[in-house]
Amino acid sequence: MRATWDVFCNVIDNYGDIGVAWRLARDLARQPDLEVRLWVDDLEAFRRIWPSIDADRAEQSEAGVAVRAWRTPFDDTAAADVVIEAFGCALPETYLRAMSARASAPVWINLEYLTAESWADAHHGLPSPHPSLPLIKHFFFPGYTEATGGLLIESDLAERRRRFLADGVADFWCRLDVAAPEAGELRVSLFAYENAALPAILDAWAGDAAPVSCLVPEGRVVPQLAAWLGAAGLRVGETHQRGALRLRVLPFLSQDDYDRLLWACAVNFVRGEDSCVRAQLAAKPLVWQAYPQTEGAHGQKVAALLARYGEGLDAASSRAIGGLWRHWNGIPEALEVPSCWRAFRLHHETMTRHADAWASRLSGQGRLTEKLLEFVEKRIK
Ligand code: TRH
């Protein structure tokens, strides 16, 4: 019999919640004998990362996943064998009651935010009994070590990337209406929150000795780019040249096209969690802006990932990447942005080799979907 899985996603802000929930639901649906439903409370946000979603439909099917609008009040629904609550979104009361009414309780999992911090090892898998219902929730922590739940890496990802790089890049640029890189050009993708270090990095790119082209999917950073350009606004498709820098605003891409953009660029500036992982898997040097948190808590996340990512890198390259990451996250850094960028540029080749080795290492460390299936297998009654 096919096991049923329900994944619940409450979109709080940005695209990370739906981005991860959708990636997971799609990957689960590719496994044999699983029936997957994804409940989403903001289909408009979902449509942005997956344009074939119809934001007005309560029920639809996409990539083998039954997509359901999560509405309040929540209609009575039979609970699934496995229930995934993405990022602590509180499940509807009616659904909790349906879970406890089952002859055998579902395996209930709270999929947590990714962090490279070491405490994730000890917290992964911990149970938390419901205060009044006969249900136990388990905390599932993605992470970078074997003791965690691993990372969302589809089993065919490396092969898809390889095929794209072998014969798909030219078509991709054509489809985006972007010229292929010229000789010596450094192509950068930029996905960021508002960022105090942005004007300095744009200045550094404009003053670079070689052409830098920066591709920016439409989003929160665009008003800041417009201000730097001295323009009233910036629309999708506009291109601006300042010194060595050519800036181009792209439409917000589908999740799969965004992966392709990361594969095709030489450096990727990413933010939050999902794009950060995808940039690591793209095997190219990356600059990460963590989701800003109060009291600088994101600084620890940045330091933790830098420490892991930097393992095996020579001191100079490690210094170069660390300097830029710190500026990009508002963490004190002795070197100025232009020096950090020059160092980053100088060590780009070494960092690219390192990024390739890092991506292979991540793939060998345990995939989240497989670990989740194992975790559930041990608990299912
Ligand atoms: O959008 P984000 O900033 O999401 C954040 C973080 O997840 C953060 O931890 C969370 O607390 C906060 O939201 C509420 O960044 P993230 O995680 O990289 O998610 C972006 C998703 O959007 C990812 O799945 C990739 C996708 N995407 C596209 O599909 N098309 C695009 O053009 C771009 C730029 C991104």
Side-chain angles (χ1 to χ4, degrees):
M1 208 179 71
R2 280 160 75 86
T4 55
W5 287 56
D6 271 338
V7 179
F8 282 84
C9 174
N10 165 20
V11 177
I12 298 176
D13 200 4
N14 305 309
Y15 301 103
D17 308 296
I18 185 59
V20 171
W22 177 230
R23 214 181 275 297
L24 172 64
R26 278 203 281 166
D27 206 31
L28 287 170
R30 275 192 285 260
Q31 312 303 314
D33 299 326
L34 298 193
E35 219 169 275
V36 184
R37 279 193 303 198
L38 172 62
W39 298 89
V40 183
D41 69 346
D42 182 350
L43 290 175
E44 197 46 57
F46 192 178
R47 196 187 54 77
R48 292 274 285 159
I49 65 159
W50 202 254
S52 49
I53 287 294
D54 181 341
D56 297 321
R57 283 181 65 185
E59 298 189 3
Q60 54 204 302
S61 175
E62 278 294 324
V65 177
V67 175
R68 299 284 179 266
W70 173 356
R71 300 215 167 115
T72 309
F74 194 81
D75 288 342
D76 284 337
T77 309
D81 302 322
V82 183
V83 180
I84 311 276
E85 176 182 317
F87 313 119
C89 63
L91 294 178
E93 280 301 322
T94 42
Y95 191 84
L96 279 171
R97 279 200 298 278
M99 283 165 69
S100 53
R102 282 175 51 114
S104 55
V107 181
W108 180 14
I109 286 164
N110 181 25
L111 176 66
E112 284 290 344
Y113 285 109
L114 169 66
T115 180
E117 291 161 291
S118 54
W119 57 259
D121 290 13
H123 286 73
H124 175 58
L126 289 182
S128 163
H130 189 278
S132 54
L133 297 171
L135 298 170
I136 300 175
K137 171 153 79 174
H138 293 90
F139 294 95
F140 194 94
F141 275 86
Y144 291 86
T145 64
E146 283 185 18
T148 64
L151 297 172
L152 259 172
I153 310 174
E154 303 84 354
S155 54
D156 63 346
L157 180 72
E159 177 55 19
R160 278 192 285 123
R161 183 176 145 263
R162 193 198 59 72
R163 270 191 272 121
F164 171 78
L165 293 176
D167 62 16
V169 184
D171 279 358
F172 180 65
W173 294 134
C174 243
R175 200 151 54 75
L176 293 185
D177 195 23
V178 173
E182 57 187 270
E185 173 190 313
L186 187 79
R187 190 151 281 194
V188 178
S189 80
L190 175 66
F191 179 43
Y193 309 112
E194 300 74 11
N195 192 313
L198 183 65
I201 197 87
L202 294 170
D203 288 342
W205 290 344
D208 204 287
V212 177
S213 77
C214 173
L215 301 174
V216 193
E218 197 186 11
R220 282 172 62 170
V221 79
V222 168
Q224 230 194 324
L225 293 175
W228 181 80
L229 289 165
L234 265 184
R235 281 196 309 270
V236 169
E238 274 186 53
T239 304
H240 291 263
Q241 186 85 39
R242 292 287 186 279
L245 170 63
R246 178 174 297 167
L247 256 177
R248 164 105 174 182
V249 182
L250 301 178
F252 199 80
L253 303 172
S254 73
Q255 204 179 41
D256 286 354
D257 268 351
Y258 181 60
D259 264 351
R260 294 183 185 103
L261 182 71
L262 298 173
W263 299 341
C265 285
V267 178
N268 295 302
F269 281 64
V270 286
R271 72 179 206 197
E273 280 127 31
D274 193 51
S275 57
C276 179
V277 173
R278 301 314 277 189
Q280 292 173 56
L281 297 171
K284 298 287 176 58
L286 70 144
V287 181
W288 179 44
Q289 183 180 15
Y291 185 71
Q293 288 175 291
T294 47
E295 293 168 23
H298 59 278
Q300 286 155 26
K301 292 193 170 191
V302 174
L305 183 56
L306 255 183
R308 289 198 195 280
Y309 186 75
E311 274 169 33
L313 250 187
D314 66 273
S317 309
S318 192
R319 179 85 193 76
I321 200 162
L324 215 48
W325 279 39
R326 281 186 284 277
H327 274 298
W328 205 239
N329 286 282
I331 301 168
E333 161 59 38
L335 286 180
E336 298 291 326
V337 171
S339 313
C340 288
W341 176 248
R342 272 197 301 277
F344 192 85
R345 228 19 188 124
L346 191 66
H347 298 285
H348 181 250
E349 238 178 79
T350 313
M351 286 192 286
T352 304
R353 278 196 301 276
H354 177 76
D356 198 44
W358 175 254
S360 311
R361 184 167 141 189
L362 291 184
S363 305
Q365 217 157 251
R367 303 174 195 277
L368 189 141
T369 303
E370 285 162 19
K371 288 192 155 195
L372 192 54
L373 289 168
E374 272 169 33
F375 190 87
V376 165
E377 184 76 16
K378 285 188 195 140
R379 286 162 183 86
I380 212 153
K381 292 182 189 120

